[in-house]
Amino acid sequence: MRSSQTRQEAETRPESGLDIVILAAGQGKRMNSTLLKVLHPLAGKPLVSYVIRVARSLSPRRLCIVHGHGGEAVRGAVDASDLRWALQETQSGTGHAVLQAMPHLPGDGTALVLYGDVPLIRTKTLERLVETARGALAVLTVDLFDPTGYGRILRDASGRILRIVEQKDATDEERRIREVNTGIMAIPEARLGAWLARLSNDNAQKEYYLTDIVAQAVDEDLPVCAVRPEYEWEALGVNSPGELAALERVVQRATAEELMERGVRLADPARIDVRGDLVCGRGVFIDVNNVFEGAVELGDDVEIGPNCFVRDAKIGAGSRIAAFTHIDGARVGPEARIGPYARLRPGTELNENVHIGNFVEIKKSRIDSDSKASHLAYVGDALVGRRVNIGAGTITCNYDGANKYQTVIEDDAFIGSDSQLVAPVRVGKGATLGAGTTLTRDVPPDALAVTRPKTLLISAWKRPSKKET
Ligand code: UD1
Ligand code: CA
């Protein structure tokens, strides 16, 4: 299976001679954002990282990114040793952009042009495009119900491609053409240099259009072939927040389908967001409106209630996370019961069968098996043993305004409600804290500590009454 797959790949992929240029110098004005367009996250990863990934899947000789003003941020986000960078100082058009990459291209293969803001194009489609470009110029096109804004594909009476005309340069009749240029092209490198050198910016946008190389190829009798993607979304680009949101739904839907194919039960595949990598065991159930970020692992039979946020976490088998729980940088379970309304912050490690209830916040603490904090508590910088009960309103006072200190609670301790443990402090094995204790010293094993003012009783107490006016 594997070896035949590899053989197939070797047959369809040109072994040598593929170079890829990713255009990413556009400003993305319509995003109206301080973040460069290609760095906007799609399912948690920058747009351009999808394009780099699909580019790598084709094993190109050269992988070059054309960046513009502020492009250092792009480089900072995705740089790797296989990437070459070309600066386009002025945004003078797609043809001008490709020209900047020319010094990186050996000149004897196929140059595949991708857009940094068209993230969902698939390897298979690009393989077909590159294959088509052997002895031809290959353009990826789609038919759009509303082609407004795109370059239109002009064909002659016999259906041969003649040229591409941009929206702004097109006549009314040309604008009625529904077949559009996606912008993705595979170009014989031997001709590219001469074609680019002949481009003119005598057009509506005063730009050097890469699309004008099509008419030049036709003049030179080089065939121009259109390749269509299997799915329309492969060719969708991001120019505005609305388009970004639309692609986000495409990706999320696909992720939901994949999860369900692997046996994960989703209450509603339209109401889950995975912004990273979610790995699930068997028998996992995920209720509606959950957001997963970063690397999240859910063990067998884990159930996630509605409206939870989970980032960079590992949830052990059989654990149940109830509604509105927030988990970030934590290891939980197995067999844990968390929430509703619990918050687990970075550095939290909960062993087997730990119960964390509503309005309990845990930070940088290890809690051992069978321990509970069921209501309203803050546990920070603590080491908690087994079978410990942390009462409602308990607070570890871990911070003196300058430094943080640790609280240690040993096995079988019982912390009465509304206690403050002023760290550094240790509660010995089996010790008890009476309700309302403010603990400022260590408690030996099996002892009771209680700090509580004696109750003052005054009989028949008269409360103040309002003055007559
Ligand atoms: C381009 C095509 C159009 C096609 C459309 C598909 C041209 C002349 N037009 O138009 O036929 O239908 O894409 O979306 O090619 N870029 C640079 N430097 C520049 C200009 C653009 O790097 O100077 C990059 C952008 O970052 C973007 C891509 O090239 O990734 C396309 O730029 P954009 O301005 O969106 O092109 P359109 O005018 O939409
Ligand atoms: Ca565009």
Side-chain angles (χ1 to χ4, degrees):
M1 172 73 195
R2 209 178 164 88
S3 72
S4 79
Q5 212 171 30
T6 321
R7 207 177 319 126
Q8 237 177 6
E9 277 166 18
E11 277 162 16
T12 52
R13 280 178 199 166
E15 270 307 311
S16 66
L18 177 65
D19 302 304
I20 297 182
V21 178
I22 299 175
L23 302 189
Q27 287 167 333
K29 281 194 201 111
R30 278 185 283 162
M31 291 303 286
N32 194 19
S33 166
T34 50
L35 187 64
L36 281 176
K37 178 162 77 177
V38 294
L39 291 183
H40 277 80
L42 178 66
K45 292 169 191 158
L47 284 171
V48 69
S49 69
Y50 289 79
V51 186
I52 293 171
R53 192 173 62 184
V54 73
R56 284 189 179 129
S57 76
L58 297 163
S59 317
R61 293 185 300 194
R62 302 284 162 87
L63 178 43
C64 179
I65 302 183
V66 181
H67 67 93
H69 184 66
E72 285 311 304
V74 180
R75 208 164 167 167
V78 298
D79 206 6
S81 58
D82 62 333
L83 303 181
R84 292 151 185 270
W85 297 86
L87 174 65
Q88 186 192 21
E89 302 223 20
T90 57
Q91 264 70 82
S92 310
T94 48
H96 181 257
V98 173
L99 188 62
Q100 310 312 307
M102 287 306 284
H104 295 289
L105 306 184
D108 63 345
T110 301
L112 173 64
V113 175
L114 303 177
Y115 282 5
D117 54 5
V118 179
L120 300 184
I121 188 73
R122 295 185 316 146
T123 305
K124 251 179 144 175
T125 304
L126 294 178
E127 280 172 346
R128 273 197 290 132
L129 190 76
V130 169
E131 187 65 20
T132 306
R134 291 186 175 174
L137 169 59
V139 181
L140 191 74
T141 73
V142 284
D143 288 315
L144 294 182
F145 178 70
D146 177 10
T148 311
Y150 288 87
R152 308 297 204 283
I153 308 295
L154 267 58
R155 293 173 182 264
D156 67 12
S158 60
R160 269 197 306 258
I161 294 177
L162 293 174
R163 62 191 174 94
I164 296 176
V165 61
E166 291 303 298
Q167 165 87 18
K168 288 184 179 144
D169 301 291
T171 63
D172 285 348
E173 195 185 333
E174 288 165 343
R175 286 181 186 180
R176 279 196 287 274
I177 297 170
R178 296 244 226 112
E179 186 186 6
V180 307
N181 171 34
T182 64
I184 295 176
M185 292 187 191
I187 310 164
E189 268 175 48
R191 312 233 186 177
L192 182 57
W195 287 344
L196 292 178
R198 280 202 293 267
L199 291 180
S200 122
N201 67 349
D202 184 13
N203 53 49
Q205 302 185 78
K206 296 279 166 278
E207 285 186 0
Y208 296 91
Y209 293 162
L210 179 63
T211 45
D212 285 347
I213 68 171
V214 170
Q216 295 192 53
V218 171
D219 280 347
E220 294 176 11
D221 289 323
L222 185 78
V224 180
C225 304
V227 169
R228 286 157 197 269
E230 201 173 333
Y231 304 102
E232 190 181 300
W233 48 254
E234 293 185 60
L236 295 180
V238 172
N239 296 296
S240 64
E243 288 173 355
L244 181 59
L247 283 197
E248 181 77 22
R249 288 347 296 163
V250 171
V251 176
Q252 293 303 343
R253 185 69 202 202
T255 305
E257 296 296 337
E258 264 172 49
L259 287 169
M260 292 190 296
E261 269 163 36
R262 280 188 261 129
V264 178
R265 282 175 298 129
L266 300 179
D268 182 353
R271 282 184 289 170
I272 174 171
D273 287 86
V274 181
R275 302 169 188 159
D277 301 302
L278 175 62
V279 177
C280 295
R282 302 159 69 101
V284 167
F285 172 70
I286 299 173
D287 212 326
V288 298
N289 296 334
N290 283 294
V291 176
F292 298 93
E293 274 189 18
V296 175
E297 234 183 280
L298 306 181
D300 292 348
D301 301 312
V302 165
E303 290 186 12
I304 310 280
N307 301 297
C308 297
F309 174 89
V310 185
R311 171 165 53 204
D312 296 325
K314 208 170 162 171
I315 315 281
S319 293
R320 283 199 209 141
I321 313 296
F324 297 100
T325 291
H326 190 284
I327 299 179
D328 183 6
R331 291 172 75 99
V332 174
E335 298 296 338
R337 297 289 174 267
I338 312 294
Y341 298 100
R343 179 168 183 211
L344 308 182
R345 292 171 53 199
T348 295
E349 281 180 44
L350 310 181
N351 209 334
E352 196 171 342
N353 190 37
V354 167
H355 293 201
I356 302 296
N358 44 202
F359 308 107
V360 174
E361 174 181 348
I362 316 277
K363 187 216 78 171
K364 208 176 170 191
S365 295
R366 230 172 59 213
I367 302 186
D368 214 336
S369 311
D370 306 309
S371 290
K372 292 180 183 157
S374 298
H375 342 259
L376 300 158
Y378 172 65
V379 178
D381 303 299
L383 276 179
V384 178
R386 297 161 173 256
R387 296 173 300 275
V388 168
N389 194 321
I390 295 177
T394 296
I395 291 173
T396 55
C397 308
N398 57 333
Y399 185 51
D400 62 5
N403 298 298
K404 301 250 166 91
Y405 300 95
Q406 197 177 48
T407 300
V408 178
I409 304 173
E410 295 181 353
D411 295 350
D412 300 300
F414 180 95
I415 311 297
S417 298
D418 195 27
S419 293
Q420 299 94 54
L421 293 87
V422 183
V425 75
R426 172 182 290 265
V427 178
K429 186 170 171 13
T432 303
L433 255 61
T437 292
T438 301
L439 189 69
T440 53
R441 46 170 290 193
D442 292 354
V443 184
D446 299 316
L448 167 71
V450 57
T451 64
R452 190 183 293 170
K454 283 255 155 47
T455 303
L456 177 67
L457 268 186
I458 298 174
S459 314
W461 173 253
K462 289 273 183 298
R463 285 197 296 265
S465 55
K466 277 197 176 153
K467 290 200 180 98
E468 303 281 333
T469 49

